[in-house]
């Protein structure tokens, strides 16, 4: 079912968004998108950028434990390794926690980065760094002010680039979608979720999947006395949408609002476009394979969107709260009952949904052109606390990538004996973001030309 109506966004913790560098068919640079795809950043070892025509970012808000997911330490003391065993994978010498058998089975398509580090234990700062390559409010990787406006979200950058030369049947689809509620730090929205200097036209178009009612479209919310059925022509529809004063204020400039609204209206009035949002059109067996959870069906929705021509889809785990009193904040911030929540809920949900997404993309011939990235804002303390949980830990954590030009069946970096620090190959969120940029065909030269300081290095070990 697809619902167009009022939606109260519910998120667990705070998040930010990852942003990045902008470019694209920039007339200021005189470059076409084809030029960008042919470009190659200095220092890359023969890998051709532009393999990824779409990106799906699985944002695991709250910070999953590296030891209890993809970097287990079976030889560490119990108070570090935790109670879970490990299982072999299809990665030479690589093991996952026993809670991820389905991902282990498709691990020949996965690349695991085990040595990410960040510079803050604050969800807001670390998340903004992870999603934008710089801190909230124009801060650097250490959280200190740099001045200037926040960088645009990575999804906004890809959206800006990919609006040039888009498929005709995707022209009326917004180029950047977020599936899930807005990310918050307390009651404050996270900086970096939008287009920033690229403008509000490249803010994400948000969908929220509700297991009880289907996909909801908060941005297309109409006043109670106005329904699509009552709007008999485009002028009336524009008038009705124009009454959404709160959305206009949120988007800022009138010009940006008009452009955003035009896309929204096109999606509302085109049955074929709106149908992309309706996961009930998928075979029941496939929906079952993804899992009948909010996260599982959100991953299925993400696949529908990229298959329909959307260049960037971000799936926020933070909106995944089946029973708030049982699941804590709904995210991965497991200060207490980490092992119970992992075993009963989160590990199984992620294992089923992520592995099904990889398999589904591969079966449809889309994995080679779709980059999938699963990561949170930091990791968890290697030492188990007195509440059977783990505290925030910025010193070492993992990301998993697949498709889009990434070579599967490998790990990048080795952590120390307790997964507390990188033993080699320390990498940052800026490096991960630079790699995503590279895979979609963006280069540092174009970023500099657009007034954005390139940060991070391309992780060549992934290719």
């Amino acid at each position: 079912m697809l619902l167009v109506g009022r939606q109260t966004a519910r998120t667990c913790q705070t998040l930010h968004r990852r942003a990045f560098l902008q470019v694209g068919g920039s007339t200021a640079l005189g470059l076409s998108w084809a030029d960008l795809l042919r470009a190659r950043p200095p220092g890359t070892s023969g890998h051709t950028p532009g393999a990824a025509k779409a990106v799906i970012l699985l944002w695991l808000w709250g910070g999953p434990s590296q030891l209890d997911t993809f970097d287990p330490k079976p030889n560490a003391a119990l108070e570090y390794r935790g109670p879970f065993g490990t299982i072999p994978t299809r990665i030479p010498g690589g093991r996952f926690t026993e809670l991820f058998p389905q991902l282990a089975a498709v691990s020949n398509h996965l690349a695991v980065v085990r040595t990410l580090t960040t510079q803050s234990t604050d969800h807001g700062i670390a998340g903004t760094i992870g999603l934008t390559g710089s801190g909230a409010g124009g801060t650097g990787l250490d959280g200190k002010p740099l001045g200037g406006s926040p960088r645009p979200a990575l999804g906004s950058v890809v959206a800006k680039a990919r609006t040039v030369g888009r498929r005709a049947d995707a022209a009326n689809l917004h180029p950047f979608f977020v599936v899930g509620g807005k990310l918050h730090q307390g009651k404050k929205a996270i900086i970096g979720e939008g287009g920033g200097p690229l403008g509000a036209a490249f803010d994400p178009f948000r969908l929220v999947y509700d297991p009880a009612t289907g996909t909801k479209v908060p941005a297309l919310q109409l006043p109670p006395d106005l329904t699509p059925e009552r709007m008999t022509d485009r002028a009336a529809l524009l008038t009705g949408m124009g009454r959404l004063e709160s959305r206009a204020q949120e988007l800022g400039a009138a010009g940006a609002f008009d452009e955003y609204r035009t896309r929204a209206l096109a999606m509302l009035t085109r049955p074929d476009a709106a149908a992309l949002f309706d996961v009930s059109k998928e075979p029941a067996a496939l929906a079952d394979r993804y899992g009948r959870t909010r996260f599982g069906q959100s991953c299925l929705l993400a696949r529908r969107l990229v298959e329909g021509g959307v260049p960037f889809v971000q799936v926020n785990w933070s909106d995944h709260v089946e029973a708030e009193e049982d699941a804590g904040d709904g995210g991965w911030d497991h200060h207490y009952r980490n092992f119970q929540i992992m075993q009963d809920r989160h590990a199984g949900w992620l294992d089923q949904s992520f592995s099904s997404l990889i398999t589904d993309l591969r079966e449809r011939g889309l994995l080679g052109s779709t980059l999938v990235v699963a990561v949170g804002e930091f990791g968890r303390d290697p030492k188990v606390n007195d509440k059977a949980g783990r505290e925030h830990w910025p010193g070492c954590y993992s990301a998993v990538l697949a498709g889009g030009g990434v070579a599967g069946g490998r790990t990048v970096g080795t952590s120390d004996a307790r997964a507390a620090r990188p033993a080699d190959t320390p990498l940052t969120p800026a490096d991960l973001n630079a790699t995503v940029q590279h895979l979609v065909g963006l280069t540092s030269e174009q970023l500099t030309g657009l007034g954005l300081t390139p940060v991070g290095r391309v992780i060549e070990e992934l290719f």
Side-chain angles (χ1 to χ4, degrees):
M1 178 185 298
L2 173 64
L3 296 184
V4 179
R6 194 172 303 275
Q7 164 69 14
T8 300
R10 179 177 52 173
T11 60
C12 71
Q13 290 210 280
T14 62
L15 197 46
H16 349 224
R17 203 158 201 159
R18 64 183 340 169
F20 227 133
L21 315 149
Q22 129 192 27
V23 12
S26 171
T27 56
L29 295 175
L31 296 172
S32 68
W33 181 239
D35 293 325
L36 297 180
L37 296 182
R38 288 191 295 268
R40 177 175 298 171
T44 58
S45 53
H47 175 74
T48 302
K53 308 306 179 186
V55 178
I56 296 176
L57 170 62
L58 306 181
W59 186 250
L60 308 181
W61 179 236
S65 166
Q66 66 279 16
L67 290 101
D68 303 313
T69 54
F70 308 112
D71 193 11
K73 298 295 178 180
N75 296 322
L78 179 62
E79 62 265 32
Y80 293 95
R81 73 172 185 264
F84 302 131
T86 67
I87 55 175
T89 70
R90 300 178 71 179
I91 300 171
R95 300 184 74 84
F96 291 168
T97 300
E98 63 181 329
L99 303 178
F100 296 93
Q102 295 181 72
L103 281 170
V106 299
S107 57
N108 57 308
H109 299 292
L110 306 179
V112 181
V113 177
R114 287 177 164 168
T115 51
L116 284 172
T117 64
T118 189
Q119 298 299 316
S120 177
T121 58
D122 178 87
H123 288 291
I125 294 174
T128 300
I129 292 171
L131 292 174
T132 70
S134 65
T139 57
L141 298 183
D142 57 0
K144 296 180 180 179
L146 292 175
S149 61
R151 298 172 76 93
L154 176 59
S156 297
V157 174
V158 174
K160 173 72 172 180
R162 287 297 172 89
T163 53
V164 176
R166 296 181 74 197
R167 288 185 356 215
D169 60 341
N172 285 327
L173 285 173
H174 194 66
F176 176 20
F177 279 72
V178 168
V179 182
K182 290 184 178 180
L183 302 168
H184 291 77
Q185 173 108 11
K187 295 183 178 180
K188 185 178 180 181
I190 291 299
I191 295 175
E193 270 222 281
L198 299 183
F202 294 99
D203 285 355
F205 192 89
R206 193 175 304 276
L207 303 174
V208 176
Y209 181 81
D210 186 326
T213 58
T215 304
K216 298 182 179 181
V217 188
L220 298 185
Q221 169 186 316
L222 297 172
D225 62 331
L226 282 173
T227 63
E229 292 77 12
R230 288 185 57 194
M231 298 181 179
T232 57
D233 56 42
R234 183 175 178 82
L237 190 57
L238 286 169
T239 300
M241 293 298 289
R243 292 170 57 182
L244 299 177
E245 295 179 357
S246 61
R247 184 57 181 152
Q249 292 174 357
E250 189 177 312
L251 290 172
F257 176 62
D258 288 343
E259 185 173 350
Y260 187 99
R261 184 178 63 177
T262 297
R263 290 199 190 106
L265 294 173
M267 289 187 288
L268 180 65
T269 56
R270 282 185 54 198
D272 57 332
L276 287 177
F277 308 157
D278 191 354
V279 295
S280 69
K281 295 183 179 298
E282 294 288 340
L286 182 61
D288 290 342
R289 191 166 79 180
Y290 273 85
R292 298 286 185 168
T293 61
R294 182 174 285 112
F295 184 73
Q297 297 304 292
S298 294
C299 288
L300 177 54
L301 178 55
R303 191 228 79 209
R304 288 178 63 83
L305 291 170
V306 298
E307 189 174 35
V310 176
F312 198 103
V313 182
Q314 178 174 316
V315 179
N316 288 343
W317 180 284
S318 65
D319 192 52
H320 190 170
V321 184
E322 301 292 349
E324 193 167 8
E325 65 276 12
D326 293 331
D329 57 23
W332 293 83
D333 195 26
H334 299 166
H335 291 275
Y336 68 102
R337 297 190 298 122
N338 170 69
F339 307 106
Q340 178 184 341
I341 294 172
M342 287 287 291
Q343 180 171 280
D344 294 347
R345 293 173 176 268
H346 288 186
W349 289 340
L350 179 61
D351 187 47
Q352 180 177 8
S353 304
F354 190 4
S355 62
S356 295
L357 176 62
I358 298 302
T359 301
D360 195 10
L361 288 169
R362 179 178 57 80
E363 290 175 348
R364 293 170 183 272
L366 295 172
L367 186 59
S369 60
T370 304
L371 175 64
V372 183
V373 182
V375 67
E377 69 270 31
F378 44 52
R380 311 305 298 185
D381 194 328
K383 181 70 176 291
V384 179
N385 65 22
D386 59 1
K387 303 178 184 65
R390 298 185 189 269
E391 305 299 327
H392 300 177
W393 189 259
C396 193
Y397 64 108
S398 301
V400 182
L401 299 86
V406 168
R410 66 178 58 196
T411 58
V412 176
T414 306
S415 62
D416 64 16
R418 294 175 178 173
R421 306 286 178 190
D424 58 52
T425 324
L427 297 164
T428 70
D431 298 328
L432 184 61
N433 283 357
T435 303
V436 175
Q437 276 186 290
H438 171 72
L439 287 168
V440 299
L442 308 183
T443 68
S444 59
E445 288 82 359
Q446 283 82 39
L447 296 170
T448 301
L450 291 169
L452 295 172
T453 302
V455 292
R457 72 146 174 116
V458 174
I459 306 172
E460 299 177 23
E461 296 90 336
L462 289 169
F463 310 136

